[in-house]
């Protein structure tokens, strides 16, 4: 059992920044790869970024490379997504997820947060 809670979303103007946080309820968090996904209404969940349990491997979707940074602090059971240079097309609900394996495929993730809304205005 791993419960995940996202926070940090909100309304920001294009070009601005937000930092999302995802806090896990259990100490076993440190053994999981963590991913960030986003989803717009009526669309499939889209991969954003993922990080291995030890931080040794990191992947980003092409659409966010150079703008977003994923990191984790296992001592705090927290994973972060720093989002800079935000664009209106980044508007979505953002979800964090935990998996036993590092992956860009949503179906392999075992645990999901409830999401946090990010809205970028022009």
């Amino acid at each position: 059992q791993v419960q995940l809670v996202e926070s940090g979303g909100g309304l920001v103007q294009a070009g601005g920044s937000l930092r999302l946080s995802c806090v896990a309820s259990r100490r076993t968090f440190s053994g999981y790869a963590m991913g960030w996904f986003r989803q717009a209404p009526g669309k499939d969940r889209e991969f954003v970024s993922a990080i291995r349990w030890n931080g040794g491997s990191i992947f980003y979707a092409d659409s966010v490379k150079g703008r977003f940074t994923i990191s984790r602090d296992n001592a705090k059971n927290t994973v972060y997504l720093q989002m800079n240079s935000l664009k209106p097309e980044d508007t979505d609900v953002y979800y964090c997820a935990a998996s036993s394996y590092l992956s860009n495929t949503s179906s392999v993730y075992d645990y999901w947060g409830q999401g946090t809304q990010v809205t970028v205005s022009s």
Side-chain angles (χ1 to χ4, degrees):
Q1 293 181 289
V2 178
Q3 293 181 321
L4 307 173
V5 180
E6 303 98 333
S7 63
L11 176 64
V12 64
Q13 291 186 331
S17 298
L18 288 171
R19 188 179 76 160
L20 306 184
S21 299
C22 175
V23 180
S25 63
R26 300 178 65 86
R27 294 183 179 183
T28 52
F29 164 84
S30 62
Y32 288 88
M34 297 295 297
W36 285 97
F37 293 78
R38 62 189 184 185
Q39 187 171 26
K43 296 184 178 180
D44 292 336
R45 194 159 294 185
E46 177 188 10
F47 172 75
V48 176
S49 185
I51 185 168
R52 195 177 180 181
W53 68 271
N54 65 355
S57 297
I58 296 174
F59 296 103
Y60 297 98
D62 289 342
S63 60
V64 306
K65 286 181 179 177
R67 300 189 298 120
F68 291 9
T69 302
I70 190 171
S71 62
R72 67 190 298 166
D73 186 341
N74 289 345
K76 297 181 178 179
N77 293 341
T78 303
V79 63
Y80 304 96
L81 186 68
Q82 178 67 47
M83 305 186 294
N84 299 325
S85 301
L86 283 162
K87 305 174 182 179
E89 49 263 47
D90 295 319
T91 295
D92 270 317
V93 177
Y94 284 71
Y95 300 88
C96 68
S99 173
S100 297
Y101 306 96
L102 186 66
S103 176
N104 64 353
T105 303
S106 62
S107 62
V108 307
Y109 284 78
D110 299 309
Y111 305 100
W112 293 85
Q114 292 183 300
T116 186
Q117 177 71 48
V118 172
T119 303
V120 184
S121 65
S122 59

